[in-house]
PDB file of all heavy atoms in Angstrom:
ATOM      1  N   ARG A   1      15.908 -21.233  -1.751  1.00 85.00           N
ATOM      2  CA  ARG A   1      15.857 -20.258  -2.847  1.00 85.00           C
ATOM      3  C   ARG A   1      14.610 -19.393  -2.716  1.00 85.00           C
ATOM      4  O   ARG A   1      13.733 -19.659  -1.908  1.00 85.00           O
ATOM      5  CB  ARG A   1      15.829 -20.973  -4.207  1.00 85.00           C
ATOM      6  CG  ARG A   1      17.091 -21.756  -4.527  1.00 85.00           C
ATOM      7  CD  ARG A   1      16.958 -22.490  -5.863  1.00 85.00           C
ATOM      8  NE  ARG A   1      18.145 -23.282  -6.156  1.00 85.00           N
ATOM      9  CZ  ARG A   1      19.222 -22.819  -6.753  1.00 85.00           C
ATOM     10  NH1 ARG A   1      19.262 -21.554  -7.155  1.00 85.00           N
ATOM     11  NH2 ARG A   1      20.260 -23.602  -6.971  1.00 85.00           N
ATOM     12  N   GLY A   2      14.556 -18.348  -3.536  1.00 88.00           N
ATOM     13  CA  GLY A   2      13.374 -17.502  -3.627  1.00 88.00           C
ATOM     14  C   GLY A   2      13.002 -16.833  -2.318  1.00 88.00           C
ATOM     15  O   GLY A   2      13.853 -16.320  -1.592  1.00 88.00           O
ATOM     16  N   ALA A   3      11.699 -16.868  -2.010  1.00 89.00           N
ATOM     17  CA  ALA A   3      11.193 -16.192  -0.813  1.00 89.00           C
ATOM     18  C   ALA A   3      11.783 -16.792   0.454  1.00 89.00           C
ATOM     19  O   ALA A   3      12.063 -16.080   1.428  1.00 89.00           O
ATOM     20  CB  ALA A   3       9.667 -16.286  -0.777  1.00 89.00           C
ATOM     21  N   ALA A   4      12.016 -18.108   0.452  1.00 91.00           N
ATOM     22  CA  ALA A   4      12.600 -18.764   1.634  1.00 91.00           C
ATOM     23  C   ALA A   4      14.020 -18.257   1.882  1.00 91.00           C
ATOM     24  O   ALA A   4      14.431 -18.084   3.035  1.00 91.00           O
ATOM     25  CB  ALA A   4      12.601 -20.271   1.440  1.00 91.00           C
ATOM     26  N   ALA A   5      14.772 -18.021   0.802  1.00 90.00           N
ATOM     27  CA  ALA A   5      16.138 -17.507   0.937  1.00 90.00           C
ATOM     28  C   ALA A   5      16.114 -16.098   1.504  1.00 90.00           C
ATOM     29  O   ALA A   5      16.963 -15.733   2.324  1.00 90.00           O
ATOM     30  CB  ALA A   5      16.838 -17.530  -0.412  1.00 90.00           C
ATOM     31  N   ARG A   6      15.128 -15.315   1.070  1.00 91.00           N
ATOM     32  CA  ARG A   6      15.032 -13.932   1.580  1.00 91.00           C
ATOM     33  C   ARG A   6      14.680 -13.938   3.079  1.00 91.00           C
ATOM     34  O   ARG A   6      15.209 -13.132   3.841  1.00 91.00           O
ATOM     35  CB  ARG A   6      13.989 -13.159   0.778  1.00 91.00           C
ATOM     36  CG  ARG A   6      14.024 -11.657   1.012  1.00 91.00           C
ATOM     37  CD  ARG A   6      13.192 -10.916  -0.012  1.00 91.00           C
ATOM     38  NE  ARG A   6      13.277  -9.481   0.230  1.00 91.00           N
ATOM     39  CZ  ARG A   6      14.275  -8.722  -0.201  1.00 91.00           C
ATOM     40  NH1 ARG A   6      15.285  -9.250  -0.864  1.00 91.00           N
ATOM     41  NH2 ARG A   6      14.293  -7.418   0.047  1.00 91.00           N
ATOM     42  N   GLU A   7      13.795 -14.829   3.473  1.00 93.00           N
ATOM     43  CA  GLU A   7      13.439 -14.947   4.897  1.00 93.00           C
ATOM     44  C   GLU A   7      14.645 -15.372   5.729  1.00 93.00           C
ATOM     45  O   GLU A   7      14.901 -14.855   6.813  1.00 93.00           O
ATOM     46  CB  GLU A   7      12.307 -15.963   5.070  1.00 93.00           C
ATOM     47  CG  GLU A   7      10.947 -15.454   4.620  1.00 93.00           C
ATOM     48  CD  GLU A   7       9.872 -16.515   4.804  1.00 93.00           C
ATOM     49  OE1 GLU A   7      10.094 -17.471   5.582  1.00 93.00           O
ATOM     50  OE2 GLU A   7       8.813 -16.396   4.154  1.00 93.00           O
ATOM     51  N   ARG A   8      15.400 -16.325   5.179  1.00 92.00           N
ATOM     52  CA  ARG A   8      16.601 -16.801   5.867  1.00 92.00           C
ATOM     53  C   ARG A   8      17.646 -15.677   5.953  1.00 92.00           C
ATOM     54  O   ARG A   8      18.308 -15.516   6.979  1.00 92.00           O
ATOM     55  CB  ARG A   8      17.167 -18.004   5.112  1.00 92.00           C
ATOM     56  CG  ARG A   8      18.545 -18.466   5.539  1.00 92.00           C
ATOM     57  CD  ARG A   8      18.543 -19.165   6.865  1.00 92.00           C
ATOM     58  NE  ARG A   8      19.841 -19.768   7.133  1.00 92.00           N
ATOM     59  CZ  ARG A   8      20.345 -19.995   8.328  1.00 92.00           C
ATOM     60  NH1 ARG A   8      19.629 -19.696   9.407  1.00 92.00           N
ATOM     61  NH2 ARG A   8      21.517 -20.545   8.489  1.00 92.00           N
ATOM     62  N   ALA A   9      17.783 -14.881   4.886  1.00 94.00           N
ATOM     63  CA  ALA A   9      18.728 -13.764   4.876  1.00 94.00           C
ATOM     64  C   ALA A   9      18.376 -12.740   5.956  1.00 94.00           C
ATOM     65  O   ALA A   9      19.253 -12.226   6.662  1.00 94.00           O
ATOM     66  CB  ALA A   9      18.739 -13.099   3.502  1.00 94.00           C
ATOM     67  N   ALA A  10      17.066 -12.453   6.095  1.00 95.00           N
ATOM     68  CA  ALA A  10      16.623 -11.512   7.128  1.00 95.00           C
ATOM     69  C   ALA A  10      16.929 -12.056   8.525  1.00 95.00           C
ATOM     70  O   ALA A  10      17.383 -11.317   9.408  1.00 95.00           O
ATOM     71  CB  ALA A  10      15.123 -11.242   6.971  1.00 95.00           C
ATOM     72  N   ALA A  11      16.729 -13.357   8.713  1.00 94.00           N
ATOM     73  CA  ALA A  11      17.009 -13.976  10.013  1.00 94.00           C
ATOM     74  C   ALA A  11      18.501 -13.931  10.326  1.00 94.00           C
ATOM     75  O   ALA A  11      18.902 -13.721  11.478  1.00 94.00           O
ATOM     76  CB  ALA A  11      16.503 -15.417  10.018  1.00 94.00           C
ATOM     77  N   LEU A  12      19.320 -14.117   9.297  1.00 94.00           N
ATOM     78  CA  LEU A  12      20.774 -14.060   9.496  1.00 94.00           C
ATOM     79  C   LEU A  12      21.223 -12.659   9.887  1.00 94.00           C
ATOM     80  O   LEU A  12      22.078 -12.491  10.766  1.00 94.00           O
ATOM     81  CB  LEU A  12      21.493 -14.509   8.216  1.00 94.00           C
ATOM     82  CG  LEU A  12      21.500 -16.014   7.948  1.00 94.00           C
ATOM     83  CD1 LEU A  12      21.860 -16.305   6.502  1.00 94.00           C
ATOM     84  CD2 LEU A  12      22.477 -16.719   8.890  1.00 94.00           C
ATOM     85  N   LEU A  13      20.649 -11.638   9.239  1.00 94.00           N
ATOM     86  CA  LEU A  13      20.996 -10.256   9.593  1.00 94.00           C
ATOM     87  C   LEU A  13      20.607  -9.969  11.037  1.00 94.00           C
ATOM     88  O   LEU A  13      21.348  -9.306  11.774  1.00 94.00           O
ATOM     89  CB  LEU A  13      20.300  -9.273   8.646  1.00 94.00           C
ATOM     90  CG  LEU A  13      20.865  -9.179   7.222  1.00 94.00           C
ATOM     91  CD1 LEU A  13      20.101  -8.133   6.419  1.00 94.00           C
ATOM     92  CD2 LEU A  13      22.349  -8.821   7.234  1.00 94.00           C
ATOM     93  N   GLU A  14      19.449 -10.466  11.433  1.00 93.00           N
ATOM     94  CA  GLU A  14      19.005 -10.263  12.820  1.00 93.00           C
ATOM     95  C   GLU A  14      19.951 -10.971  13.797  1.00 93.00           C
ATOM     96  O   GLU A  14      20.297 -10.437  14.845  1.00 93.00           O
ATOM     97  CB  GLU A  14      17.581 -10.789  12.985  1.00 93.00           C
ATOM     98  CG  GLU A  14      16.923 -10.310  14.266  1.00 93.00           C
ATOM     99  CD  GLU A  14      15.419 -10.524  14.232  1.00 93.00           C
ATOM    100  OE1 GLU A  14      14.928 -11.233  13.329  1.00 93.00           O
ATOM    101  OE2 GLU A  14      14.739  -9.985  15.120  1.00 93.00           O
ATOM    102  N   ARG A  15      20.413 -12.165  13.425  1.00 91.00           N
ATOM    103  CA  ARG A  15      21.318 -12.933  14.285  1.00 91.00           C
ATOM    104  C   ARG A  15      22.634 -12.187  14.517  1.00 91.00           C
ATOM    105  O   ARG A  15      23.193 -12.226  15.607  1.00 91.00           O
ATOM    106  CB  ARG A  15      21.616 -14.297  13.651  1.00 91.00           C
ATOM    107  CG  ARG A  15      22.691 -15.075  14.370  1.00 91.00           C
ATOM    108  CD  ARG A  15      23.008 -16.383  13.671  1.00 91.00           C
ATOM    109  NE  ARG A  15      22.097 -17.441  14.060  1.00 91.00           N
ATOM    110  CZ  ARG A  15      22.118 -18.682  13.572  1.00 91.00           C
ATOM    111  NH1 ARG A  15      22.998 -18.996  12.653  1.00 91.00           N
ATOM    112  NH2 ARG A  15      21.277 -19.586  13.998  1.00 91.00           N
ATOM    113  N   VAL A  16      23.136 -11.481  13.483  1.00 92.00           N
ATOM    114  CA  VAL A  16      24.415 -10.772  13.625  1.00 92.00           C
ATOM    115  C   VAL A  16      24.220  -9.309  14.054  1.00 92.00           C
ATOM    116  O   VAL A  16      25.170  -8.522  14.025  1.00 92.00           O
ATOM    117  CB  VAL A  16      25.254 -10.846  12.327  1.00 92.00           C
ATOM    118  CG1 VAL A  16      25.601 -12.282  11.992  1.00 92.00           C
ATOM    119  CG2 VAL A  16      24.544 -10.172  11.158  1.00 92.00           C
ATOM    120  N   GLY A  17      23.006  -8.954  14.421  1.00 90.00           N
ATOM    121  CA  GLY A  17      22.774  -7.627  14.987  1.00 90.00           C
ATOM    122  C   GLY A  17      22.581  -6.513  13.994  1.00 90.00           C
ATOM    123  O   GLY A  17      22.850  -5.346  14.304  1.00 90.00           O
ATOM    124  N   VAL A  18      22.102  -6.828  12.801  1.00 91.00           N
ATOM    125  CA  VAL A  18      21.827  -5.800  11.788  1.00 91.00           C
ATOM    126  C   VAL A  18      20.321  -5.605  11.700  1.00 91.00           C
ATOM    127  O   VAL A  18      19.581  -6.538  11.373  1.00 91.00           O
ATOM    128  CB  VAL A  18      22.385  -6.198  10.404  1.00 91.00           C
ATOM    129  CG1 VAL A  18      22.005  -5.148   9.361  1.00 91.00           C
ATOM    130  CG2 VAL A  18      23.892  -6.345  10.462  1.00 91.00           C
ATOM    131  N   GLY A  19      19.882  -4.418  11.968  1.00 85.00           N
ATOM    132  CA  GLY A  19      18.450  -4.153  11.910  1.00 85.00           C
ATOM    133  C   GLY A  19      18.163  -2.760  11.356  1.00 85.00           C
ATOM    134  O   GLY A  19      19.054  -1.911  11.338  1.00 85.00           O
ATOM    135  N   PRO A  20      16.938  -2.482  10.931  1.00 93.00           N
ATOM    136  CA  PRO A  20      15.888  -3.479  10.715  1.00 93.00           C
ATOM    137  C   PRO A  20      16.192  -4.310   9.473  1.00 93.00           C
ATOM    138  O   PRO A  20      16.506  -3.750   8.426  1.00 93.00           O
ATOM    139  CB  PRO A  20      14.633  -2.622  10.523  1.00 93.00           C
ATOM    140  CG  PRO A  20      15.147  -1.310  10.002  1.00 93.00           C
ATOM    141  CD  PRO A  20      16.499  -1.110  10.614  1.00 93.00           C
ATOM    142  N   PRO A  21      16.135  -5.644   9.556  1.00 92.00           N
ATOM    143  CA  PRO A  21      16.556  -6.518   8.455  1.00 92.00           C
ATOM    144  C   PRO A  21      15.858  -6.236   7.128  1.00 92.00           C
ATOM    145  O   PRO A  21      16.494  -6.257   6.072  1.00 92.00           O
ATOM    146  CB  PRO A  21      16.220  -7.922   8.967  1.00 92.00           C
ATOM    147  CG  PRO A  21      16.203  -7.795  10.439  1.00 92.00           C
ATOM    148  CD  PRO A  21      15.690  -6.421  10.721  1.00 92.00           C
ATOM    149  N   ALA A  22      14.552  -5.973   7.177  1.00 91.00           N
ATOM    150  CA  ALA A  22      13.799  -5.774   5.933  1.00 91.00           C
ATOM    151  C   ALA A  22      14.359  -4.619   5.115  1.00 91.00           C
ATOM    152  O   ALA A  22      14.451  -4.695   3.882  1.00 91.00           O
ATOM    153  CB  ALA A  22      12.323  -5.538   6.250  1.00 91.00           C
ATOM    154  N   ARG A  23      14.756  -3.539   5.804  1.00 95.00           N
ATOM    155  CA  ARG A  23      15.323  -2.385   5.087  1.00 95.00           C
ATOM    156  C   ARG A  23      16.745  -2.667   4.641  1.00 95.00           C
ATOM    157  O   ARG A  23      17.131  -2.327   3.517  1.00 95.00           O
ATOM    158  CB  ARG A  23      15.289  -1.149   5.992  1.00 95.00           C
ATOM    159  CG  ARG A  23      15.886   0.099   5.326  1.00 95.00           C
ATOM    160  CD  ARG A  23      15.471   1.350   6.072  1.00 95.00           C
ATOM    161  NE  ARG A  23      16.080   1.434   7.383  1.00 95.00           N
ATOM    162  CZ  ARG A  23      17.261   2.032   7.632  1.00 95.00           C
ATOM    163  NH1 ARG A  23      17.951   2.568   6.632  1.00 95.00           N
ATOM    164  NH2 ARG A  23      17.741   2.095   8.849  1.00 95.00           N
ATOM    165  N   ARG A  24      17.545  -3.309   5.492  1.00 95.00           N
ATOM    166  CA  ARG A  24      18.944  -3.568   5.157  1.00 95.00           C
ATOM    167  C   ARG A  24      19.071  -4.492   3.953  1.00 95.00           C
ATOM    168  O   ARG A  24      20.014  -4.372   3.177  1.00 95.00           O
ATOM    169  CB  ARG A  24      19.672  -4.182   6.354  1.00 95.00           C
ATOM    170  CG  ARG A  24      19.704  -3.309   7.597  1.00 95.00           C
ATOM    171  CD  ARG A  24      20.378  -1.985   7.356  1.00 95.00           C
ATOM    172  NE  ARG A  24      20.537  -1.230   8.606  1.00 95.00           N
ATOM    173  CZ  ARG A  24      20.949   0.025   8.669  1.00 95.00           C
ATOM    174  NH1 ARG A  24      21.228   0.683   7.547  1.00 95.00           N
ATOM    175  NH2 ARG A  24      21.064   0.639   9.846  1.00 95.00           N
ATOM    176  N   LEU A  25      18.130  -5.429   3.807  1.00 95.00           N
ATOM    177  CA  LEU A  25      18.187  -6.355   2.669  1.00 95.00           C
ATOM    178  C   LEU A  25      18.157  -5.611   1.334  1.00 95.00           C
ATOM    179  O   LEU A  25      18.731  -6.070   0.342  1.00 95.00           O
ATOM    180  CB  LEU A  25      17.025  -7.348   2.727  1.00 95.00           C
ATOM    181  CG  LEU A  25      17.085  -8.433   3.804  1.00 95.00           C
ATOM    182  CD1 LEU A  25      15.796  -9.232   3.817  1.00 95.00           C
ATOM    183  CD2 LEU A  25      18.278  -9.354   3.583  1.00 95.00           C
ATOM    184  N   ARG A  26      17.489  -4.451   1.301  1.00 95.00           N
ATOM    185  CA  ARG A  26      17.341  -3.700   0.050  1.00 95.00           C
ATOM    186  C   ARG A  26      18.514  -2.744  -0.199  1.00 95.00           C
ATOM    187  O   ARG A  26      18.592  -2.126  -1.261  1.00 95.00           O
ATOM    188  CB  ARG A  26      16.036  -2.900   0.075  1.00 95.00           C
ATOM    189  CG  ARG A  26      14.781  -3.748   0.199  1.00 95.00           C
ATOM    190  CD  ARG A  26      13.533  -2.913  -0.060  1.00 95.00           C
ATOM    191  NE  ARG A  26      13.388  -1.833   0.922  1.00 95.00           N
ATOM    192  CZ  ARG A  26      12.733  -1.950   2.076  1.00 95.00           C
ATOM    193  NH1 ARG A  26      12.183  -3.111   2.405  1.00 95.00           N
ATOM    194  NH2 ARG A  26      12.621  -0.922   2.896  1.00 95.00           N
ATOM    195  N   GLN A  27      19.401  -2.603   0.776  1.00 96.00           N
ATOM    196  CA  GLN A  27      20.487  -1.641   0.654  1.00 96.00           C
ATOM    197  C   GLN A  27      21.713  -2.249  -0.026  1.00 96.00           C
ATOM    198  O   GLN A  27      21.897  -3.459  -0.064  1.00 96.00           O
ATOM    199  CB  GLN A  27      20.872  -1.100   2.033  1.00 96.00           C
ATOM    200  CG  GLN A  27      19.787  -0.215   2.654  1.00 96.00           C
ATOM    201  CD  GLN A  27      20.229   0.387   3.964  1.00 96.00           C
ATOM    202  OE1 GLN A  27      20.698  -0.320   4.852  1.00 96.00           O
ATOM    203  NE2 GLN A  27      20.071   1.696   4.094  1.00 96.00           N
ATOM    204  N   TYR A  28      22.553  -1.333  -0.546  1.00 96.00           N
ATOM    205  CA  TYR A  28      23.817  -1.721  -1.174  1.00 96.00           C
ATOM    206  C   TYR A  28      24.953  -1.514  -0.174  1.00 96.00           C
ATOM    207  O   TYR A  28      24.820  -0.717   0.770  1.00 96.00           O
ATOM    208  CB  TYR A  28      24.051  -0.894  -2.438  1.00 96.00           C
ATOM    209  CG  TYR A  28      23.088  -1.227  -3.560  1.00 96.00           C
ATOM    210  CD1 TYR A  28      21.825  -0.639  -3.615  1.00 96.00           C
ATOM    211  CD2 TYR A  28      23.442  -2.148  -4.542  1.00 96.00           C
ATOM    212  CE1 TYR A  28      20.932  -0.962  -4.636  1.00 96.00           C
ATOM    213  CE2 TYR A  28      22.561  -2.477  -5.567  1.00 96.00           C
ATOM    214  CZ  TYR A  28      21.314  -1.879  -5.599  1.00 96.00           C
ATOM    215  OH  TYR A  28      20.430  -2.207  -6.608  1.00 96.00           O
ATOM    216  N   PRO A  29      26.087  -2.203  -0.354  1.00 94.00           N
ATOM    217  CA  PRO A  29      27.184  -2.096   0.616  1.00 94.00           C
ATOM    218  C   PRO A  29      27.631  -0.669   0.920  1.00 94.00           C
ATOM    219  O   PRO A  29      27.934  -0.351   2.081  1.00 94.00           O
ATOM    220  CB  PRO A  29      28.312  -2.897  -0.049  1.00 94.00           C
ATOM    221  CG  PRO A  29      27.591  -3.939  -0.847  1.00 94.00           C
ATOM    222  CD  PRO A  29      26.364  -3.241  -1.361  1.00 94.00           C
ATOM    223  N   HIS A  30      27.618   0.213  -0.088  1.00 93.00           N
ATOM    224  CA  HIS A  30      28.099   1.581   0.147  1.00 93.00           C
ATOM    225  C   HIS A  30      27.157   2.384   1.043  1.00 93.00           C
ATOM    226  O   HIS A  30      27.537   3.435   1.569  1.00 93.00           O
ATOM    227  CB  HIS A  30      28.312   2.320  -1.182  1.00 93.00           C
ATOM    228  CG  HIS A  30      27.028   2.690  -1.878  1.00 93.00           C
ATOM    229  ND1 HIS A  30      26.404   1.852  -2.775  1.00 93.00           N
ATOM    230  CD2 HIS A  30      26.250   3.807  -1.788  1.00 93.00           C
ATOM    231  CE1 HIS A  30      25.297   2.438  -3.216  1.00 93.00           C
ATOM    232  NE2 HIS A  30      25.174   3.620  -2.637  1.00 93.00           N
ATOM    233  N   GLU A  31      25.943   1.878   1.250  1.00 95.00           N
ATOM    234  CA  GLU A  31      24.992   2.573   2.108  1.00 95.00           C
ATOM    235  C   GLU A  31      25.139   2.194   3.582  1.00 95.00           C
ATOM    236  O   GLU A  31      24.435   2.743   4.435  1.00 95.00           O
ATOM    237  CB  GLU A  31      23.565   2.269   1.649  1.00 95.00           C
ATOM    238  CG  GLU A  31      23.252   2.738   0.231  1.00 95.00           C
ATOM    239  CD  GLU A  31      21.838   2.390  -0.194  1.00 95.00           C
ATOM    240  OE1 GLU A  31      21.621   1.265  -0.690  1.00 95.00           O
ATOM    241  OE2 GLU A  31      20.956   3.249  -0.002  1.00 95.00           O
ATOM    242  N   LEU A  32      26.046   1.284   3.872  1.00 93.00           N
ATOM    243  CA  LEU A  32      26.235   0.803   5.241  1.00 93.00           C
ATOM    244  C   LEU A  32      27.564   1.295   5.807  1.00 93.00           C
ATOM    245  O   LEU A  32      28.514   1.542   5.077  1.00 93.00           O
ATOM    246  CB  LEU A  32      26.211  -0.724   5.276  1.00 93.00           C
ATOM    247  CG  LEU A  32      24.984  -1.427   4.673  1.00 93.00           C
ATOM    248  CD1 LEU A  32      25.157  -2.932   4.758  1.00 93.00           C
ATOM    249  CD2 LEU A  32      23.713  -0.990   5.383  1.00 93.00           C
ATOM    250  N   SER A  33      27.628   1.404   7.123  1.00 90.00           N
ATOM    251  CA  SER A  33      28.879   1.755   7.801  1.00 90.00           C
ATOM    252  C   SER A  33      29.839   0.568   7.758  1.00 90.00           C
ATOM    253  O   SER A  33      29.448  -0.560   7.427  1.00 90.00           O
ATOM    254  CB  SER A  33      28.599   2.127   9.259  1.00 90.00           C
ATOM    255  OG  SER A  33      28.146   0.977   9.973  1.00 90.00           O
ATOM    256  N   GLY A  34      31.096   0.812   8.136  1.00 87.00           N
ATOM    257  CA  GLY A  34      32.083  -0.264   8.145  1.00 87.00           C
ATOM    258  C   GLY A  34      31.697  -1.406   9.063  1.00 87.00           C
ATOM    259  O   GLY A  34      31.848  -2.585   8.716  1.00 87.00           O
ATOM    260  N   GLY A  35      31.167  -1.063  10.244  1.00 89.00           N
ATOM    261  CA  GLY A  35      30.758  -2.092  11.188  1.00 89.00           C
ATOM    262  C   GLY A  35      29.606  -2.933  10.665  1.00 89.00           C
ATOM    263  O   GLY A  35      29.582  -4.161  10.833  1.00 89.00           O
ATOM    264  N   LEU A  36      28.630  -2.281  10.006  1.00 92.00           N
ATOM    265  CA  LEU A  36      27.493  -3.020   9.451  1.00 92.00           C
ATOM    266  C   LEU A  36      27.929  -3.899   8.281  1.00 92.00           C
ATOM    267  O   LEU A  36      27.438  -5.022   8.120  1.00 92.00           O
ATOM    268  CB  LEU A  36      26.406  -2.045   9.003  1.00 92.00           C
ATOM    269  CG  LEU A  36      25.574  -1.407  10.126  1.00 92.00           C
ATOM    270  CD1 LEU A  36      24.581  -0.399   9.545  1.00 92.00           C
ATOM    271  CD2 LEU A  36      24.822  -2.480  10.921  1.00 92.00           C
ATOM    272  N   ARG A  37      28.847  -3.400   7.454  1.00 92.00           N
ATOM    273  CA  ARG A  37      29.346  -4.221   6.340  1.00 92.00           C
ATOM    274  C   ARG A  37      30.038  -5.477   6.874  1.00 92.00           C
ATOM    275  O   ARG A  37      29.888  -6.563   6.307  1.00 92.00           O
ATOM    276  CB  ARG A  37      30.317  -3.407   5.471  1.00 92.00           C
ATOM    277  CG  ARG A  37      29.642  -2.371   4.590  1.00 92.00           C
ATOM    278  CD  ARG A  37      30.553  -1.873   3.499  1.00 92.00           C
ATOM    279  NE  ARG A  37      31.697  -1.142   4.011  1.00 92.00           N
ATOM    280  CZ  ARG A  37      31.750   0.190   4.160  1.00 92.00           C
ATOM    281  NH1 ARG A  37      30.700   0.923   3.831  1.00 92.00           N
ATOM    282  NH2 ARG A  37      32.835   0.772   4.618  1.00 92.00           N
ATOM    283  N   GLN A  38      30.800  -5.312   7.965  1.00 90.00           N
ATOM    284  CA  GLN A  38      31.468  -6.478   8.534  1.00 90.00           C
ATOM    285  C   GLN A  38      30.448  -7.485   9.067  1.00 90.00           C
ATOM    286  O   GLN A  38      30.629  -8.699   8.945  1.00 90.00           O
ATOM    287  CB  GLN A  38      32.422  -6.046   9.647  1.00 90.00           C
ATOM    288  CG  GLN A  38      33.411  -7.104  10.088  1.00 90.00           C
ATOM    289  CD  GLN A  38      34.320  -7.569   8.973  1.00 90.00           C
ATOM    290  OE1 GLN A  38      33.904  -8.321   8.094  1.00 90.00           O
ATOM    291  NE2 GLN A  38      35.575  -7.136   9.010  1.00 90.00           N
ATOM    292  N   ARG A  39      29.353  -6.991   9.638  1.00 92.00           N
ATOM    293  CA  ARG A  39      28.297  -7.881  10.126  1.00 92.00           C
ATOM    294  C   ARG A  39      27.605  -8.599   8.963  1.00 92.00           C
ATOM    295  O   ARG A  39      27.208  -9.757   9.078  1.00 92.00           O
ATOM    296  CB  ARG A  39      27.284  -7.098  10.958  1.00 92.00           C
ATOM    297  CG  ARG A  39      27.834  -6.673  12.321  1.00 92.00           C
ATOM    298  CD  ARG A  39      26.885  -5.713  13.022  1.00 92.00           C
ATOM    299  NE  ARG A  39      27.466  -5.207  14.267  1.00 92.00           N
ATOM    300  CZ  ARG A  39      27.220  -5.702  15.471  1.00 92.00           C
ATOM    301  NH1 ARG A  39      26.380  -6.716  15.618  1.00 92.00           N
ATOM    302  NH2 ARG A  39      27.782  -5.183  16.548  1.00 92.00           N
ATOM    303  N   VAL A  40      27.449  -7.902   7.844  1.00 94.00           N
ATOM    304  CA  VAL A  40      26.876  -8.546   6.656  1.00 94.00           C
ATOM    305  C   VAL A  40      27.794  -9.667   6.179  1.00 94.00           C
ATOM    306  O   VAL A  40      27.341 -10.756   5.811  1.00 94.00           O
ATOM    307  CB  VAL A  40      26.642  -7.511   5.535  1.00 94.00           C
ATOM    308  CG1 VAL A  40      26.300  -8.207   4.213  1.00 94.00           C
ATOM    309  CG2 VAL A  40      25.523  -6.543   5.917  1.00 94.00           C
TER     310      VAL A  40
END
């Protein structure tokens, strides 16, 4: 939970090829392309 969950979320985005993770974590689904949404 908390900060640890956010760190884990960033690592998961990096694992599936979504970068930069720190910026993507703050975005909403409509701000991403179809391919990026599928990776999320």
